Structure formats: C-alpha cells, structure tokens
C-alpha cells in the first residue's frame, strides 16, 4: 500500500477528530480533559503502588534470606548437625528394618523347618558314615605314618535323628590325632590343620545353635557360606556318586531359602517411617530453620503472580541451602505431623525441582541434590515427582 496514501488517511482522521472536539461545548471538553487527567493519575498511582509492593517484597524477602543464612550456619542448624539428624533417621531405619527381616526369616524358617531338618540330618549322617569308615580302616591297618590324621572319636559317630543333635562343640573334643598306629595318646591333641566334618563346621561358623533361622538364611545367601555349602555337596557326591538325594537336597534347600523367594521386606512401612522421623524431629530439632523457610515460601507464593516470578525467588532460596538442608526439608514435610501445612505450601513450588530435574538415569542424577543422600531413595523420588512438582 502507498505510504503517501496511508499518511493522508491518518491526517484526515486526525483532522476529523479535532474538528469534532472543537465543535463540542467547552464544558464537555473540560469534562473529557478531566477524565483523561484522572485516568493518567490512576495509572501513575497503580504503577507506583506496584513498584512499591515489589520493593517492599524484595526488602522483606532478602531480609528473611539474610536471617536464614545466619540460621543455617548456627551450631544447631549447620550442615554437620543436619547430617547428624539424617544419620539418626538412617540408623533407626536400619535397626527397624533388621528387626523386620529377622522376624520374617524366623517365621519362614519355622514354616520350612521340616525340610531343613530332613536335608541337613541326611547330609550330616553321610559325613558321619565317612568318618566311621575312616576310623575302622585305620584301626585295622598295620601301616604307620609320620603325619597326624584327624580321627573322630567313636562316641561322636552315632547317626543323628534331628538337627538339634548336631555337634558344633570345639573340635578338639570331637577329634583326636592318629599317628604311628596310636589312636589314644592324649599328647597327640587335635592338630591345627585338620579337615573335619564340613556340615558341622558350616553350622558352627554360622552360629546355628544360637540362631538357627539366621544361620540357614546366611548359608544360602552369603557368598562365603554358599561356597562352603556347595563344597560340602561336592565332597559328598564324590563319596556317594550313585546317591541322587544329595543333588535333590542341594536344589531344594538352595531354592527354598534364596532371598528373593522368601519375600523379605527391603523397606519399612510408611507408618514406621513417620514414627521414626516424627520422634527424631519432635524435640524441636531444627525448628527455627523449618519456620524461616516456611515463612519465605509463603511470602513468595503470596507475591508471585506468574510462574516465572515464582521460579525466580524459589531459585534464589534454593541456592542458599545445602543438599542436606534441602533433603531434611522434604522429610519434615512428608513424614511429620508438624510439617503438614508446610507440605501443602511447598507442594506448589518445585523446590526440589521439576520432573526433568528429578529425572535420574544410569549416568545422571537429580539436579539439586544427590539422590544417594535420600534415605528411601526410590520411594522418595517417586513421592517428590508425584506430590511436590507443580502441576
């Protein structure tokens, strides 16, 4: 479109408007001017008020930030003290989880005690039969040897009917040395290099007599004990190559007491978590820290009319806090009665990050804290994404 034409049109419109104005009654013109002046005054006042509100907010916000910085370096709320609190929670969690596991292992053992008893009794009696044959062979032999051979005393060679009868006493009481056809000389005591009954050794090592359920669990879930059990199986298979029962016992017990087949809890319940965190934080530990952050977040939320403003001031707050300070805020919000109102407030603010910042992969971690510092890592991350990310 021609520029001269547009210019002429604008000039014509302005001329028409001006002619209309000057044709009006002077009183009307005065009224219009008054209205325009009032509007300009109102706009100026609004702009000044808005600017004053921002200045007032900034003054309060940075005053509280300054106060927060003093609090988080105080002797009661510094990073080291917060870490101690988090470690107290971890210790209580570990203790309660161990108790849960022990209860489950004991219950499971009692349910399958018959299979354990039957299998281990049969393996033990195979060993005792080997020892009996060894003793008889040596007694009948006229050969002599310069090497001390461990021989099981005859009173400890009787087959057992129940696993409770298994002998796990000091080996010097069970064996004596055979040397140069002498099987009774007390001076030839139990030698240090003896290889004795492998099943008894395994049950003695795992303290079967004092805690049978835990001993059986460890035999099939701890690398060293698993290796020793398998070694015993191989010894017995070499001595009894036609006996298919040995493999059957091995497979049955190994599968039965495999950790993944026992439904042993890997984490305590949510109620137990709340009890632990509540108890540890109930003594007003870090109370001034929690209250100050709550106040800061509240004024941010009240002032922010846009997501950009909210993110800006939350970001400023976050940069003041160590990872430990961030993490303990989460546990206060999620697991304490006192933190319920704080949770309702902070859930709208992405304080720990948005979904992308909380996304954890094989080669990446959360942006604002190391997820390994979380006590219940997988569950906590899930909660943070579901309950603390702004929708």
């Amino acid at each position: 479109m021609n520029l001269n034409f547009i210019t002429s049109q604008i000039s014509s419109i302005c001329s028409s408007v001006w002619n209309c104005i000057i044709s009006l009654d002077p009183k009307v013109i005065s009224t219009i001017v008054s209205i325009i002046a009032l509007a300009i005054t109102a706009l100026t006042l609004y702009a000044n008020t808005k600017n004053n509100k921002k200045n007032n907010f900034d003054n309060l916000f940075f005053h509280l930030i300054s106060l927060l910085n003093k609090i988080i370096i105080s002797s009661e709320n510094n990073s080291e003290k917060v870490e101690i609190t988090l470690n107290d929670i971890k210790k209580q969690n570990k203790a309660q989880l161990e108790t849960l596991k022990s209860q489950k292992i004991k219950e499971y053992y009692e349910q399958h005690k018959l299979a354990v008893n039957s299998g281990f009794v049969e393996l033990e009696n195979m060993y005792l039969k080997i020892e009996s044959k060894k003793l008889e062979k040596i007694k009948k032999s006229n050969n002599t040897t310069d090497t001390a051979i461990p021989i099981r005393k005859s009173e400890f060679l009787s087959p057992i009917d129940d696993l409770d009868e298994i002998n796990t006493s000091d080996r010097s009481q069970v064996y004596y040395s055979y040397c140069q056809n002498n099987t009774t000389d007390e001076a030839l005591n139990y030698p240090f290099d003896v290889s004795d009954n492998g099943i008894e050794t395994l049950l003695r090592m795992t303290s079967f007599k004092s805690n049978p359920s835990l001993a059986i669990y460890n035999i099939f879930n701890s690398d060293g004990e698993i290796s020793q059990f398998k070694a015993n199986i191989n010894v017995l298979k070499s001595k009894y190559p036609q006996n298919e029962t040995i493999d059957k016992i091995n497979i049955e017990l190994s599968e039965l007491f495999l950790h993944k087949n026992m439904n042993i809890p890997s984490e305590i319940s949510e109620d137990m978590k709340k009890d632990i965190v509540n108890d540890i934080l109930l003594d007003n530990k870090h109370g001034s820290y929690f209250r100050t952050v709550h106040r800061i977040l509240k004024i941010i939320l009240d002032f922010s009319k846009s997501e950009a403003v909210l993110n800006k001031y939350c970001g400023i707050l976050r940069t003041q806090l160590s990872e430990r300070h961030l993490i303990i805020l989460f546990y206060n919000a999620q697991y304490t009665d006192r933190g319920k109102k704080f949770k309702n407030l902070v859930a709208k603010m992405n304080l720990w990050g948005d979904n992308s910042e909380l996304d954890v992969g094989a080669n990446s971690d959360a942006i604002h804290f190391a997820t390994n510092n979380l006590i219940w890592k997988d569950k906590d991350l899930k909660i943070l994404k579901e309950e603390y990310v702004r929708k």
Side-chain angles (χ1 to χ4, degrees):
M1 188 176 289
N2 191 288
L3 182 59
N4 291 332
F5 175 76
I6 295 173
T7 304
S8 66
Q9 289 297 311
I10 293 173
S11 177
S12 176
I13 292 170
C14 290
S15 178
S16 298
V17 171
W18 175 249
N19 289 332
C20 287
I21 291 173
I22 62 176
S23 66
L24 293 173
D25 186 282
K27 291 182 179 180
V28 175
I29 295 175
S30 177
T31 302
I32 292 173
V33 171
S34 298
I35 292 172
I36 293 172
L38 183 61
I40 292 172
T41 302
L43 288 171
T44 302
L45 181 62
Y46 171 76
N48 289 337
T49 301
K50 187 175 181 181
N51 190 52
N52 289 337
K53 183 179 179 182
K54 184 181 184 306
N55 288 338
N56 290 338
F57 168 78
D58 281 345
N59 288 336
L60 177 57
F61 174 77
F62 287 107
H63 169 74
L64 289 173
I65 288 292
S66 178
L67 176 62
L68 176 65
N69 284 325
K70 292 178 182 178
I71 289 171
I72 61 179
I73 62 172
S74 67
S75 59
E76 293 182 351
N77 294 287
N78 59 39
S79 289
E80 289 73 20
K81 280 298 177 68
V82 172
E83 183 176 19
I84 289 171
T85 301
L86 291 172
N87 284 337
D88 287 343
I89 297 172
K90 290 176 184 177
K91 288 174 187 175
Q92 286 291 323
N93 170 64
K94 184 178 180 180
Q96 293 206 22
L97 183 57
E98 288 302 317
T99 299
L100 273 181
K101 285 182 176 179
S102 295
Q103 290 172 349
K104 180 62 180 178
I105 289 170
K106 186 174 182 179
E107 290 170 4
Y108 191 88
Y109 173 78
E110 292 298 326
Q111 291 171 7
H112 301 282
K113 188 175 180 178
L114 187 61
V116 174
N117 191 78
S118 173
F120 273 87
V121 164
E122 187 150 4
L123 296 178
E124 167 69 0
N125 285 336
M126 289 181 191
Y127 261 111
L128 293 176
K129 190 174 181 181
I130 294 171
E131 297 287 351
S132 296
K133 288 181 178 179
K134 185 194 292 185
L135 178 60
E136 291 303 314
K137 183 178 179 179
I138 289 177
K139 282 182 175 180
K140 293 175 182 178
S141 174
N142 292 319
N143 296 329
T144 62
T145 177
D146 293 329
T147 305
I149 302 172
I151 303 299
R152 195 176 180 94
K153 297 177 181 179
S154 57
E155 60 265 36
F156 298 109
L157 286 170
S158 301
I160 63 172
D161 297 317
D162 192 278
L163 197 50
D164 290 336
E165 301 171 21
I166 198 162
N167 193 309
T168 58
S169 59
D170 182 80
R171 312 317 287 151
S172 63
Q173 299 177 22
V174 181
Y175 287 82
Y176 56 77
S177 296
Y178 168 75
C179 189
Q180 296 180 344
N181 268 349
N182 187 341
T183 59
T184 59
D185 190 345
E186 292 294 333
L188 297 173
N189 204 354
Y190 180 75
F192 291 107
D193 60 348
V194 141
S195 57
D196 56 19
N197 185 317
I199 293 298
E200 292 177 3
T201 300
L202 184 57
L203 293 177
R204 185 174 69 255
M205 282 174 50
T206 53
S207 304
F208 175 80
K209 289 287 188 180
S210 60
N211 195 337
S213 58
L214 185 60
I216 297 300
Y217 172 81
N218 286 335
I219 287 171
F220 296 104
N221 292 283
S222 299
D223 290 342
E225 284 78 355
I226 291 172
S227 297
Q228 189 161 344
F229 180 77
K230 298 297 184 186
N232 286 321
I233 292 295
N234 290 334
V235 167
L236 293 173
K237 285 172 68 175
S238 69
K239 299 292 184 181
Y240 302 96
Q242 305 302 318
N243 192 327
E244 296 179 356
T245 304
I246 300 171
D247 264 336
K248 182 180 177 183
I249 293 171
N250 175 31
I251 293 169
E252 180 184 5
L253 292 180
S254 296
E255 285 294 319
L256 192 60
F257 283 89
L258 194 62
H259 179 90
K260 68 178 183 180
N261 296 333
M262 295 175 67
N263 295 319
I264 294 174
S266 59
E267 195 169 287
I268 61 176
S269 69
E270 293 302 298
D271 285 342
M272 293 175 76
K273 292 177 188 178
K274 288 178 180 178
D275 287 342
I276 291 173
V277 179
N278 254 320
D279 287 346
I280 290 176
L281 297 184
L282 190 62
D283 61 353
N284 204 31
K285 193 176 286 187
H286 313 302
S288 61
Y289 168 61
F290 295 141
R291 288 190 297 273
T292 305
V293 173
H294 190 160
R295 176 63 176 150
I296 292 172
L297 289 173
K298 190 174 187 310
I299 67 166
I300 291 175
L301 194 62
D302 290 343
F303 174 75
S304 300
K305 302 304 180 186
S306 70
E307 187 170 327
V309 174
L310 188 63
N311 290 339
K312 172 187 172 182
Y313 287 102
C314 273
I316 294 173
L317 169 61
R318 192 190 298 117
T319 59
Q320 314 303 309
L321 307 177
S322 68
E323 290 187 18
R324 298 182 186 98
H325 282 107
L326 268 176
I327 288 172
I328 204 167
L329 278 176
F330 166 67
Y331 290 120
N332 180 60
Q334 183 64 24
Y335 294 112
T336 70
D337 296 331
R338 185 175 57 187
K340 286 180 180 178
K341 290 183 179 179
F342 179 63
K343 178 179 180 178
N344 293 336
L345 177 71
V346 78
K348 307 170 185 177
M349 309 190 75
N350 287 3
L351 182 62
W352 294 274
D354 57 27
N355 275 321
S356 65
E357 292 172 325
L358 290 169
D359 194 29
V360 176
N363 300 311
S364 63
D365 205 351
I367 298 297
H368 303 298
F369 58 90
T371 53
N372 283 335
N373 288 329
L374 293 171
I375 299 171
W376 302 286
K377 179 179 174 180
D378 293 338
K379 188 62 178 291
D380 289 344
L381 271 176
K382 185 172 183 289
I383 292 172
L384 281 167
K385 289 180 179 180
E386 291 179 354
E387 300 182 29
Y388 291 87
V389 172
R390 188 165 56 252
K391 301 297 186 279

